[in-house]
Amino acid sequence: MKKTLLLLILIVGVFAAVACDAATTLSTTDTETTSSATTTDTTTDTTTTISTLDPDSLEANIPAECADVPIVSGWVPTWCEEFNYEGPVDSTKWRHQTGGGGFGNNELQYYTNRAENAYVDGEKLIITALREDYGGHDYTSAKIWTQGLKNWKYGKFEMRAKLPGVAGTWPAFWMMPRLSVYGGWPASGEIDIMEHTAFYNIDNVVGSLHTNAYNHKIGTQISYGRETPGLTTGFHVYSVTWNEYSFTWWVDSYKYGTYVFNPAAVAYGDFSIADAWPFDQEFYLILNLAMGGAMGGTVDPQFVIDTYEIDYVRVYQRDYVTEDSGAPRAATALEAAQAVGTTAYVFWTKAVDDNQVRRYNVYVNGVFFKSVSLNIVKLTGLVVGTPALIEIEAEDYAGNLSPKAAISVTTTEPS
């Protein structure tokens, strides 16, 4: 009996052990499958967040204030004022210019830093012109700028705004030089991205340049206009793109003006390179609403109040360094002009690069002379009657160099 009972216990134990092994195996298999699935999901998520951006690229260093601003056609946002706060303008971005006196244009307003004239309402900046006696003037308004805080050389400068519509108002979005290295206005340049005058044409937007050679005081300013209905009843986007040798103006998505520096006009003209093109220096941004004056025209006698509403101001730049893939081609069509005495001009057709030519290195008889951003140079120190070998070497923003292009220049005695 005992033997039979012992045999039954042994048989039951064997079945129990097999059952436990089977259960353990199933449990282990389920756990491994779940773990494997979890690991796969985690690996997939991690892979999608790996960045391949060059850490030195503009795109990898977009400031937080521009995080929601898209990159369009290679233009990377590098400075953004979205006016998404309330109160006075951000003092880390803007400063007020205050005072009056006409500003050289017979303007009628007195600029203040009061909330009555400039206030951010949480969505936009509102610059308000008022009819009031203040500081010996009949009107008040506001003017802000980035002078002393931020300056730029080249880029895309953009604003979205609704313009005032009462006759006599003169809103502007423009730039002036950080330093007047070529002299006082207009010698060091002025860049008008947007100007508008309801008195002369309420549906027209204007973009202009002012230099010693080209300015409104002598009637030679470089200006472009675009008829755009609704400038004073809705928001529109105004911008300019600026590089080493050209400007292009836009309203919304319409390109309405392009000016390209003309080296031949200088080489065969009566003015200097800087007189024609002082735009190789840093400039700062300005927003203001003037009253009356040379462009504002006659103020409506019933004027009481009007506003210039700015949704945002943004600055974009292109990454010409990390995206560069090759050296520039050589400059072509070298030509000499006004080769008299110890000086001469040499100009050429711009070199072609996959991104952008930064400058041209100029050599005289094998010795480095200077670097220039435009496709023209004025040579000095030449010897009358002695040929000089002039070589031009294009350099891009990544430091790649083109083959040198050469021309022989011999000056004559002054007449």
Side-chain angles (χ1 to χ4, degrees):
M1 182 70 179
K2 287 182 180 178
K3 289 182 178 179
T4 304
L5 182 60
L6 193 58
L7 182 59
L8 288 171
I9 291 172
L10 182 60
I11 292 170
V12 171
V14 170
F15 276 104
V18 171
C20 283
D21 286 345
T24 303
T25 302
L26 289 174
S27 175
T28 303
T29 302
D30 288 345
T31 302
E32 287 177 352
T33 301
T34 304
S35 176
S36 176
T38 303
T39 302
T40 301
D41 290 343
T42 303
T43 302
T44 301
D45 291 343
T46 303
T47 301
T48 59
T49 58
I50 292 175
S51 173
T52 58
L53 291 176
D54 186 318
D56 295 324
S57 67
L58 289 179
E59 187 175 352
N61 293 280
I62 294 174
E65 66 203 33
C66 302
D68 296 327
V69 179
I71 298 171
V72 179
S73 300
W75 289 109
V76 181
T78 58
W79 187 91
C80 301
E81 169 60 284
E82 303 298 309
F83 297 115
N84 53 3
Y85 53 91
E86 292 188 21
V89 293
D90 184 348
S91 61
T92 68
K93 287 184 166 69
W94 305 99
R95 289 177 176 170
H96 279 270
Q97 182 184 23
T98 59
F103 300 95
N105 296 305
N106 299 314
E107 298 167 32
L108 306 175
Q109 78 287 339
Y110 190 98
Y111 289 128
T112 84
N113 58 7
R114 304 176 306 164
E116 292 93 324
N117 295 117
Y119 182 79
V120 181
D121 69 357
E123 296 181 344
K124 58 187 177 298
L125 166 65
I126 303 173
I127 297 178
T128 304
L130 297 168
R131 170 67 183 92
E132 60 177 330
D133 296 328
Y134 192 99
H137 293 66
D138 293 332
Y139 307 92
T140 60
S141 187
K143 178 179 183 179
I144 60 173
W145 55 26
T146 66
Q147 184 183 34
L149 298 170
K150 189 65 177 176
N151 311 280
W152 297 269
K153 184 170 74 169
Y154 315 137
K156 178 180 180 180
F157 304 86
E158 180 178 275
M159 168 190 72
R160 183 173 184 266
K162 182 170 72 172
L163 309 182
V166 180
T169 56
W170 179 6
F173 174 40
W174 54 304
M175 304 181 77
M176 287 291 285
R178 180 176 70 89
L179 299 172
S180 296
V181 296
Y182 299 116
W185 190 94
S188 293
E190 175 182 327
I191 306 165
D192 296 325
I193 305 168
M194 185 287 302
E195 289 185 285
H196 175 264
T197 169
F199 177 79
Y200 291 107
N201 190 339
I202 198 169
D203 291 328
N204 192 55
V205 60
V206 177
S208 305
L209 296 177
H210 298 278
T211 72
N212 252 355
Y214 309 110
N215 67 82
H216 73 275
K217 296 289 187 180
I218 57 177
T220 59
Q221 77 273 14
I222 299 161
S223 290
Y224 302 90
R226 168 70 177 170
E227 292 286 319
T228 308
L231 297 176
T232 63
T233 57
F235 284 83
H236 294 266
V237 178
Y238 307 90
S239 64
V240 72
T241 56
W242 164 31
N243 64 23
E244 290 77 2
Y245 56 85
S246 71
F247 286 89
T248 298
W249 288 263
W250 304 76
V251 56
D252 297 325
S253 58
Y254 187 87
K255 178 172 68 174
Y256 68 92
T258 295
Y259 178 74
V260 179
F261 171 76
N262 180 3
V266 173
Y268 291 105
D270 297 325
F271 44 82
S272 70
I273 298 172
D275 283 343
W277 192 269
F279 304 112
D280 59 349
Q281 304 295 316
E282 290 186 336
F283 280 61
Y284 59 88
L285 284 169
I286 308 170
L287 291 168
N288 71 288
L289 174 52
M291 294 296 297
M295 189 168 177
T298 303
V299 180
D300 186 331
Q302 304 303 313
F303 179 88
V304 176
I305 184 174
D306 207 354
T307 59
Y308 176 19
E309 301 179 20
I310 299 98
D311 179 29
Y312 65 72
V313 177
R314 296 170 182 166
V315 178
Y316 304 78
Q317 292 175 313
R318 280 196 164 131
D319 195 335
Y320 292 130
V321 178
T322 60
E323 296 181 0
D324 192 275
S325 62
R329 298 178 188 174
T332 59
L334 277 65
E335 184 174 338
Q338 298 193 52
V340 179
T342 60
T343 66
Y345 283 104
V346 171
F347 62 100
W348 55 91
T349 299
K350 294 186 295 293
V352 176
D353 185 62
D354 62 315
N355 270 336
Q356 186 78 358
V357 171
R358 181 183 184 184
R359 60 193 174 198
Y360 298 91
N361 304 316
V362 181
Y363 298 83
V364 178
N365 294 324
V367 178
F368 176 76
F369 177 64
K370 67 187 300 187
S371 293
V372 295
S373 57
L374 294 168
N375 52 326
I376 186 172
V377 63
K378 184 176 183 179
L379 303 168
T380 58
L382 302 178
V383 178
V384 175
T386 302
L389 178 65
I390 311 303
E391 295 174 296
I392 307 299
E393 174 186 69
E395 179 179 347
D396 65 20
Y397 277 83
N400 299 313
L401 302 173
S402 75
K404 293 177 181 177
I407 186 174
S408 179
V409 177
T410 303
T411 60
T412 60
E413 289 283 358
S415 58

